[in-house]
Amino acid sequence: MIRTIYHIIENVLIFLILFFTLALGGAKLIGHISPFMVLSGSMEPQLATGSLCFVNERDREAKAGDIIAFSKGSTKIVHRVLKAEHGVYTTKGDNNPHADRAPVSQKEVLGKVVFSIPKAGYAAAFLQTKKGMLLTSAALAAFFVMGRLLPERKKRGGGYEAG
């Protein structure tokens, strides 16, 4: 029973490691879905600071009410579209009092936000630090070693008995 629980946790951890490794590397998760970390509170409460949001890069045409990711120079921003006219968007952070000053052109749009995971951006940011990588690696190594030390099931009369 303990080994079964261990293997379930092990599989979940492996999935999370792969997921965050891909997300941290900016990899496209399903061919065209890219992760973005939310760094400010401009979209709260819909997208809280520290969320990891995922953007469909194939979906770049937006209408009023859509949340889009766009770039202004080297800055990436996630805001809601207030108005869309002829490939030019007026955007605003939900938590901001006024619309953004500069309109967003179609070529600046990176895609539409499909979903987000609250607080996952904090984990991603921590894992990008040297301390985060070392602590996470040490904890995972200890967990996997501990799993190898769990007692094996013993064979008994044609069946198995939990050890």
Side-chain angles (χ1 to χ4, degrees):
M1 178 68 168
I2 291 174
R3 250 182 125 55
T4 302
I5 293 170
Y6 170 82
H7 285 299
I8 291 169
I9 294 170
E10 182 180 51
N11 288 332
V12 168
L13 284 174
I14 290 169
F15 170 78
L16 289 173
I17 291 166
L18 288 171
F19 176 79
F20 276 109
T21 301
L22 290 171
L24 289 172
K28 294 183 185 359
L29 296 177
I30 304 175
H32 55 278
I33 306 292
S34 293
F36 288 84
M37 288 174 42
V38 177
L39 301 175
S40 76
S42 68
M43 281 300 293
E44 289 186 357
Q46 180 75 30
L47 295 173
T49 304
S51 294
L52 196 58
C53 66
F54 296 86
V55 173
N56 181 350
E57 292 182 344
R58 287 190 184 159
D59 195 358
R60 295 178 182 217
E61 282 193 35
K63 62 185 181 309
D66 289 340
I67 299 174
I68 60 170
F70 57 94
S71 60
K72 286 291 184 183
S74 61
T75 305
K76 293 180 182 174
I77 302 166
V78 176
H79 278 176
R80 189 176 304 278
V81 173
L82 290 179
K83 187 168 64 172
E85 290 180 331
H86 311 292
V88 177
Y89 304 103
T90 302
T91 57
K92 176 185 173 296
D94 290 355
N95 202 26
N96 292 346
H98 305 288
D100 299 334
R101 289 182 190 181
V104 177
S105 70
Q106 183 71 43
K107 67 180 182 183
E108 293 171 306
V109 175
L110 301 171
K112 278 193 216 174
V113 173
V114 211
F115 69 97
S116 69
I117 304 172
K119 310 290 185 208
Y122 289 131
F126 177 70
L127 289 172
Q128 287 179 318
T129 67
K130 192 173 191 175
K131 182 180 180 181
M133 283 188 261
L134 289 172
L135 285 173
T136 303
S137 297
L140 289 171
F143 178 79
F144 291 128
V145 167
M146 181 184 76
R148 301 303 169 237
L149 298 175
L150 288 173
E152 292 288 331
R153 291 183 176 186
K154 298 175 187 171
K155 243 185 182 182
R156 189 168 205 217
Y160 285 95
E161 181 182 306

